Amino acid sequence: MVGRESESAAVLGLTNGVLILTGEPGAGKSTLLGLAADRHQGRVLRMTGSESEANLTFAGLHQLLRPVLAETARLPGRQRSALLGAMGLGDGDGGGGGFGRAMPDNAHLREAEPDNAHLSEAEPDGVAPRHGGPPDRLLLGVALLTLLSDLARQSPVLVVADDLQWIDAGSLELLAFAARRIGDEPLAVLAGARDRAGEGARGGATAPFSGFPLLTLDPLDATAAGLLLDRQPYPPTGSRRLRILDQAAGNPLALIELARANACGADSADSADGELLPPTDRLMRVFAADLEALPEATRRALLLVAADDRAAAGRVEALAPAEAAGLLRITGGGRDGWRARFRHPLIRSAIYHSVPLAARRRAHRDLATLLSAEPDRRAWHLAAAAEGPDEEIAAALEESAARARERGGYTAATTALERAAELSPGRRDRARRLVAAAGAAVSTGQPHWVRRLAAQAAAATDDPELSAEASLRVGQVLTLSTEHDTAMSLLLRAAEHPKLRRVALSSASVAGFYSGDEKYRLAVRARAQDDPWTLAVTDPTAHRSERVAAIPALVERAGGDPARLISLGAMAWLLDETALAVRIFDDALHRWRLGGSLPIGLGCSAGWSYLDHGRWAQARTAAVNTNSAGAGLPHLDAAARSLEAAALALTGRTDEARAAGSAALSLVDPHRSRAVAVRARWALGMAAVADGDHIGAYEQFRLLFTADGDPVHYACSYPGVAELAAAAVRTGHGAEAAAIVERTADRLAEDPSPRMRILIHRARALLEPTQAEPHFTAALAEPGGGQWPFERAQILLDHAEWLRRRHRITEARHQLNTALETFRRLGAPSWIDRTRAELRAAGVESAPAGPDALTSLSPQQQHIIRLAAQGLSNREIGERLFLSPRTVGSHLYRSFPKLGVTARSQLRDLIEASGQS
């Protein structure tokens, strides 16, 4: 099951005891129960609750035991008679009859005996039960337990009980009684129950099962939800995909049903009325079953809040019955006013689509009349109520889109512009707004959406500039996909238009970088003229110092524009100015978060800078946050996986690193997406180094270069040259590696970066032990080497090993202690172990130490600690990380004891001492 791997393992591994699955309707409880039943190797007994039989006493018991009625013959007579009598069956009756005559639902088991009492022989066989009243619940419970235990002696037994909330109370109590007394026999009870929210009068119906182990099925995360959509027969794309993901809110049933409706062409004719997709009949039954029972005034108020959740003001009393039924919750009441929060987005959709289109349009007109002071909301309601083209509404939507884009609301901006185009009376205005919509959609990372909008624009205009811009937007979004050829073709075509030339070539340089194809690189470079960004991306080794010197002025000219700053951070990283890149990225990402969400795909370039700079937790956070599950961009997913694999490898989680690195390679063609492939192989090589697998390491690092020794990728291959040399020395491939090192040195001879000088010195020192000292000395003396703390610590360790083998123990000890301190701070367990082993060989028994206290925190906690160390308040930190001030305070409260500090004023010193400032 997609996104339910751990839950599947839990239910399949249940062979004894009890497990209760909980979750909202459609979360997958029944599917998991069915999976467990299908895979069970013994007998499976089932009962499924039904609302129509919830008040029919012992209906569930009858359903459970009907397949094994013959087995009751082995029970003591009194127990057998009681059990059959409760189900309305005589001693010889195999079916039919009523359930539990005169048995009140609220009767409770009288546990007069301790749990281990054996009552099965309380009466001899054939003794009839007492008459004149309901059977003894304790006797019934013991009878059920005895029967289930007897069955378990023959073969393993799994009792599967679905929809506990609708199983009659009598059956539920008896099953709970038996479940609490399961011993060590192969007997298990697996049950599913809805979350209590929204269960109405029977919210406490599952009380007999309280105290048992619970497994809550949370909504699927973005990645799993995207994968589930991709596995449908006709996966939705573009804006439709985003709307399904948003509306389903991680509910598997909703994802499948909405995708199925989309495949059947159910895109509503009234798509103009905004974001709410019409639910299928099945979803209506699940999420809107209680609507008809509500008062008319409540249903009218529900329609208005379904159209606008802030329409709750003045309708709180009318909405009270809906709130009591668990459909929604009314919040606020302060400065921001009352708001309706639906238990699930599909409840809102079900309410909205439960009335005819005319009623929905009337509701939107009423709401627009009330919102003259809120132009964005008013524009949307007017658009939803519109019955044909209207330039005034289209212009209002276009203005709303501009404001949404300023706030980082790219999906909202795209949707507004697309609707504005639909409402545009003029052909040129329609095309212009469609092109603008395609431009906004690029930041959502939705190739299908961008392509559709661009195609509609091209069909609506003969204007060459608009057509060229439409091609530009498609090319830009395809840079994040694996369609590098198509992206380059479109971008180079757009570059032929003078007004678009600069931005098109800039985008083409990115597509060429991801591809790594030499012909693309040269084609863009030949057109780059004097654009510093395009020149740096297409050839970061030529005139490097000149490009580096220009960055501060370019940052100044960026004027705080986060998009331009992101580009300059990437430029600094490519030029191996890692510390500068990190400072620029920190500033850019902060500014972008203040304005809204980040465009998709920005995390990886920053993440690699953080990784190189020793901020591994932040690098992994960037990888995790670079998620295209809503878009289906395998190249971007592969880039994020390769970054995550690198961070995992360095921190010693090598199995996970190999899984992530292999996944990255499986998502792309390594010969066509060379940047990602090279980075993934570097990560796999580092995982092998961490495990001491020198052959595996050499195999991976050798793949960074061609058979002739040229770089597979003109920029990403070079940082692996020293690791290639280190693995080659240990596997007998020194001569081959030496040739590649010298070829690399020749290629970079004109203006190598400090980092590449350091790495080449390290490689030569390892490959030429008799001439190693000057190379080690030069590498460690290189100004700015501290920008790459892990690489510097590796050189210290290599040098110390070289010194110890030459009996220069005192010098080696100093190098080893310095390296050990860095590895501990970074949290690099494999290198810590190796350094400590060298120290022991040098006659020093270093005390084992766990990773630096800072690295013991989660990535998010580390980020909060760094921001707090800079003097930011909880509110300011929360604004940057989209957390509440209370959540920030909670993280700080839990982190302080781990760090050994008691006040915020101590954090700056701690961060500086860790070297991670």
Side-chain angles (χ1 to χ4, degrees), residues 460-616:
T461 184
D462 298 324
D463 186 316
E465 183 178 347
L466 284 176
S467 296
E469 187 176 352
S471 294
L472 168 69
R473 299 313 180 190
V474 176
Q476 284 178 322
V477 77
L478 291 183
T479 61
L480 299 174
S481 74
T482 55
E483 298 182 56
H484 304 304
D485 295 347
T486 305
M488 289 295 297
S489 175
L490 290 169
L491 293 168
L492 291 177
R493 186 190 313 162
E496 295 173 4
H497 195 284
K499 290 185 178 179
L500 301 176
R501 181 181 171 282
R502 192 180 189 92
V503 66
L505 287 177
S506 175
S507 298
S509 68
V510 176
F513 177 87
Y514 290 151
S515 166
D517 192 298
E518 192 69 2
K519 69 176 183 291
Y520 291 151
R521 183 178 78 86
L522 295 176
V524 177
R525 183 170 175 75
R527 296 168 171 81
Q529 296 182 355
D530 60 349
D531 178 54
W533 157 258
T534 304
L535 290 169
V537 175
T538 53
D539 192 350
T541 63
H543 307 289
R544 196 200 71 86
S545 299
E546 179 184 333
R547 310 270 180 257
V548 170
I551 292 177
L554 294 172
V555 170
E556 186 70 25
R557 278 164 41 192
D561 179 354
R564 294 174 67 186
L565 289 174
I566 286 285
S567 296
L568 293 172
M571 178 178 172
W573 170 65
L574 283 169
L575 295 171
D576 274 338
E577 291 296 313
T578 304
L580 175 60
V582 165
R583 289 197 298 272
I584 295 173
F585 278 129
D586 281 347
D587 183 32
L589 294 175
H590 169 55
R591 291 175 184 273
W592 217 312
R593 289 188 183 101
L594 289 178
S597 60
L598 275 63
I600 196 166
L602 286 186
C604 277
S605 56
W608 282 108
S609 293
Y610 293 137
L611 188 93
D612 293 342
H613 203 45
R615 287 161 61 167
W616 295 346

Side-chain angles (χ1 to χ4, degrees), residues 283-292 327 346-347 350-351 354:
L283 292 177
M284 287 288 285
R285 289 194 299 272
V286 171
F287 288 97
D290 300 329
L291 282 182
E292 291 301 321
L327 296 175
L346 283 172
I347 294 176
I351 291 167
S354 66

Side-chain angles (χ1 to χ4, degrees), residues 365-406:
R365 283 194 294 271
D366 292 344
L367 290 167
T369 302
L370 300 173
L371 294 170
S372 57
E374 298 187 53
D376 290 341
R377 292 172 66 202
R378 182 174 183 273
W380 274 110
H381 286 300
L382 287 173
E387 298 184 22
D390 188 313
E391 177 57 29
E392 183 180 350
I393 298 175
L397 279 175
E398 189 171 11
E399 293 173 4
S400 176
R403 288 187 288 270
R405 194 164 185 173
E406 289 175 1

Side-chain angles (χ1 to χ4, degrees), residues 227-245:
L227 288 173
L228 183 57
L229 278 187
D230 290 338
R231 294 188 182 185
Q232 301 312 302
Y234 300 97
T237 60
S239 59
R240 190 75 167 171
R241 181 185 183 93
L242 292 178
R243 290 167 71 191
I244 289 175
L245 287 168

Side-chain angles (χ1 to χ4, degrees), residues 88-318:
L89 303 172
D91 275 1
D93 194 357
F99 300 119
R101 299 172 295 278
M103 184 68 69
D105 274 348
N106 61 352
H108 295 288
L109 289 168
R110 299 192 305 275
E111 301 192 25
E113 299 290 336
D115 285 357
N116 61 352
H118 295 286
L119 303 181
S120 59
E121 302 302 327
E123 295 288 346
D125 286 358
V127 178
R130 296 188 305 269
H131 295 284
D136 189 315
R137 291 291 179 106
L138 181 58
L139 179 62
L140 286 172
V142 171
L144 178 60
L145 177 61
T146 303
L147 177 60
L148 294 176
S149 296
D150 286 348
L151 293 171
R153 290 193 191 99
Q154 302 170 31
S155 67
V157 173
L158 175 67
V159 175
V160 176
D162 200 2
D163 280 330
L164 285 186
Q165 72 279 356
W166 297 126
I167 292 176
D168 65 278
S171 299
L172 206 61
E173 288 176 351
L174 293 183
L175 182 60
F177 176 89
R180 292 186 192 280
R181 289 155 179 81
I182 293 175
D184 57 1
E185 65 261 60
L187 169 62
V189 175
L190 180 64
R194 289 186 184 181
D195 287 337
R196 290 194 175 185
E199 285 181 7
R202 285 186 57 83
T206 60
F209 271 78
S210 62
F212 286 115
L214 291 178
L215 179 59
T216 301
L217 303 187
D218 295 319
L220 299 180
D221 62 24
T223 299
L227 288 173
L228 183 57
L229 278 187
D230 290 338
R231 294 188 182 185
Q232 301 312 302
Y234 300 97
T237 60
S239 59
R240 190 75 167 171
R241 181 185 183 93
L242 292 178
R243 290 167 71 191
I244 289 175
L245 287 168
D246 179 64
Q247 203 161 309
N251 184 287
L253 175 64
L255 288 163
I256 293 169
E257 287 292 309
L258 291 175
R260 183 175 299 159
N262 173 71
C264 295
D267 203 336
S268 60
D270 58 301
S271 62
D273 50 17
E275 306 169 350
L276 297 177
L277 297 168
T280 63
D281 291 342
R282 185 179 181 189
L283 292 177
M284 287 288 285
R285 289 194 299 272
V286 171
F287 288 97
D290 300 329
L291 282 182
E292 291 301 321
L294 296 173
E296 176 62 28
T298 299
R299 293 203 299 273
R300 286 197 302 269
L302 278 173
L303 175 60
L304 290 173
V305 295
D308 190 325
D309 61 6
R310 284 185 282 179
R315 299 176 178 84
V316 174
E317 295 300 323

Side-chain angles (χ1 to χ4, degrees), residues 863-885:
H863 203 172
I864 290 171
I865 289 296
R866 287 195 182 91
L867 294 175
Q870 296 171 22
L872 275 67
S873 67
N874 288 4
R875 182 172 296 280
E876 291 169 329
I877 295 171
E879 288 173 352
R880 288 200 181 195
L881 304 183
F882 299 104
L883 301 172
S884 70

